[in-house]
């Protein structure tokens, strides 16, 4: 339905509020061969709904990507570890699809056209006619304040490894890539070796967004590399409320966004 479900949602809330499709009335899902043969009417209806979903949502997104020359890929490492190996595999597959679609198709004509569009810009050349092809990609480990400060280097190493697994089999010649860690809106402060201060969203000490900072809570240590297999319960990185200033003219505390911005525009 367009947004990520909250980790605290019950199964019934997921059933009531989440759907796959353009609306609750036009949902669809994959059907096995036995069901397709037994219910050709249902298979045809789901196929039609999927075609509409792809036409209205997926193709416009990929057309926009096709006209891009810079890409910023956000990777939430704590959430992947908390979700298990299936989440890691899903991330790799999705990023491979996006990077494969956006890889530049090199030839002399497009090279000249791309240089030309950098001068005349998007104002007079419609997206549909821009050559596209990503030239630079930033792989960004987000929410770096949900981990122990001592694990920042491990966090970047995990993103480097994921980036390698996503791109090693792709024709990405000419794409410059680099990994970063960042905190878009700082939500925690260091407390101890394996503890942070923050306002927890859930659990026995859950708070409201405007409540004072709670007592320190424990977080898991990051692994040195992605495990070959693990249980979601092996890692715990509680969700915390971000801190915003009452004076909205003063931006919230952030870490690392300037480096990503400078890299992408340079």
């Amino acid at each position: 339905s367009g947004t990520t479900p909250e980790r605290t949602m019950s199964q019934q809330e997921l059933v009531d509020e989440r759907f796959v499709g353009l609306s609750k009335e036009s949902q669809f899902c994959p059907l096995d061969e036995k069901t397709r043969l037994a219910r050709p009417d249902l298979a045809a209806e789901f196929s039609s709904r999927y075609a509409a979903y792809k036409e209205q949502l997926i193709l416009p997104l990929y057309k926009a990507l096709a006209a891009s020359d810079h890409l910023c890929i956000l990777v939430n490492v704590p959430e992947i570890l908390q979700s298990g190996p299936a989440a890691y595999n899903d991330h790799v597959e999705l990023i491979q699809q996006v990077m494969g679609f956006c890889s530049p198709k090199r030839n002399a004509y497009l090279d000249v056209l791309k240089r030309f569009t950098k001068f005349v810009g998007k104002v007079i050349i419609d997206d549909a006619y821009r050559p596209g092809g990503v030239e630079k990609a930033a792989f960004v480990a987000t929410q770096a304040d949900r981990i122990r400060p001592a694990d920042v280097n491990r966090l970047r190493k995990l993103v480097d490894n994921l980036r390698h697994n996503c791109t090693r089999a792709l024709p990405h010649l000419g794409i410059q890539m680099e990994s970063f860690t960042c905190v878009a809106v700082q939500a925690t402060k260091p407390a101890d070796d394996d503890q942070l201060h923050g306002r927890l969203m859930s659990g026995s000490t859950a708070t409201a967004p405007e409540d004072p900072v709670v007592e320190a809570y424990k977080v898991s240590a990051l692994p040195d590399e992605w495990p070959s297999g693990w249980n979601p319960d092996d890692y715990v990185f509680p969700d915390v409320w971000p801190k915003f200033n009452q004076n909205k003219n003063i931006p919230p505390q952030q870490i690392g966004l300037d480096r990503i911005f400078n890299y992408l525009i340079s």
Side-chain angles (χ1 to χ4, degrees), residues 2-215:
T3 58
T4 303
E6 300 292 338
R7 293 178 59 85
T8 55
M9 293 179 71
S10 67
Q11 289 187 353
Q12 189 58 49
E13 287 174 327
L14 288 171
V15 171
D16 293 339
E17 299 180 22
R18 314 299 299 183
F19 58 87
V20 178
L22 293 174
S23 68
K24 289 185 178 181
E25 293 72 29
S26 61
Q27 296 188 70
F28 59 87
C29 69
L31 299 176
D32 58 39
E33 184 178 6
K34 182 179 179 181
T35 304
R36 293 197 302 270
L37 293 174
R39 292 290 309 277
D41 57 328
L42 182 63
E45 179 64 23
F46 277 11
S47 178
S48 175
R49 293 178 180 182
Y50 172 71
Y53 173 84
K54 182 172 68 174
E55 181 67 27
Q56 295 184 42
L57 290 183
I58 304 303
L59 291 181
L61 170 62
Y62 273 78
K63 287 178 180 178
L65 287 173
S68 302
D69 50 24
H70 290 67
L71 199 61
C72 184
I73 299 173
L74 307 183
V75 182
N76 191 332
V77 171
E79 204 63 33
I80 294 175
L81 288 171
Q82 286 190 139
S83 301
Y88 175 87
N89 295 333
D90 287 345
H91 274 72
V92 171
E93 183 176 354
L94 177 60
I95 294 172
Q96 283 178 334
Q97 291 177 359
V98 172
M99 292 292 290
F101 183 84
C102 295
S103 292
K105 312 299 187 294
R106 294 292 179 187
N107 62 51
Y109 167 74
L110 287 184
D111 284 343
V112 172
L113 186 55
K114 285 181 73 67
R115 288 196 294 269
F116 177 67
T117 57
K118 286 184 178 180
F119 289 99
V120 299
K122 193 175 179 180
V123 177
I124 62 174
I125 295 184
D126 188 85
D127 280 345
Y129 302 101
R130 301 181 75 217
V134 171
E135 297 177 340
K136 183 180 288 189
F139 283 70
V140 181
T142 62
Q143 301 187 23
D145 59 336
R146 291 178 63 189
I147 66 168
R148 306 182 312 168
D151 282 344
V152 171
N153 288 335
R154 288 190 179 95
L155 180 64
R156 179 163 182 165
K157 182 178 177 182
L158 291 174
V159 175
D160 274 334
N161 181 266
L162 182 141
R163 184 187 78 188
H164 176 70
N165 288 338
C166 290
T167 60
R168 60 185 174 183
L170 294 175
H172 55 273
L173 182 64
I175 298 181
Q176 181 182 346
M177 291 181 285
E178 192 168 330
S179 300
F180 298 87
T181 64
C182 87
V183 177
V185 180
Q186 189 163 0
T188 71
K189 295 288 185 182
D192 205 341
D193 289 344
D194 61 351
Q195 292 185 319
L196 300 173
H197 282 298
R199 294 171 296 173
L200 298 177
M201 289 186 177
S202 60
S204 59
T205 57
T207 65
E210 65 277 3
D211 285 347
V213 173
V214 299
E215 294 297 325

Side-chain angles (χ1 to χ4, degrees), residues 211-226:
D211 285 347
V213 173
V214 299
E215 294 297 325
Y217 63 92
K218 189 173 182 178
V219 296
S220 300
L222 290 183
D224 289 322
E225 57 186 23
W226 291 102

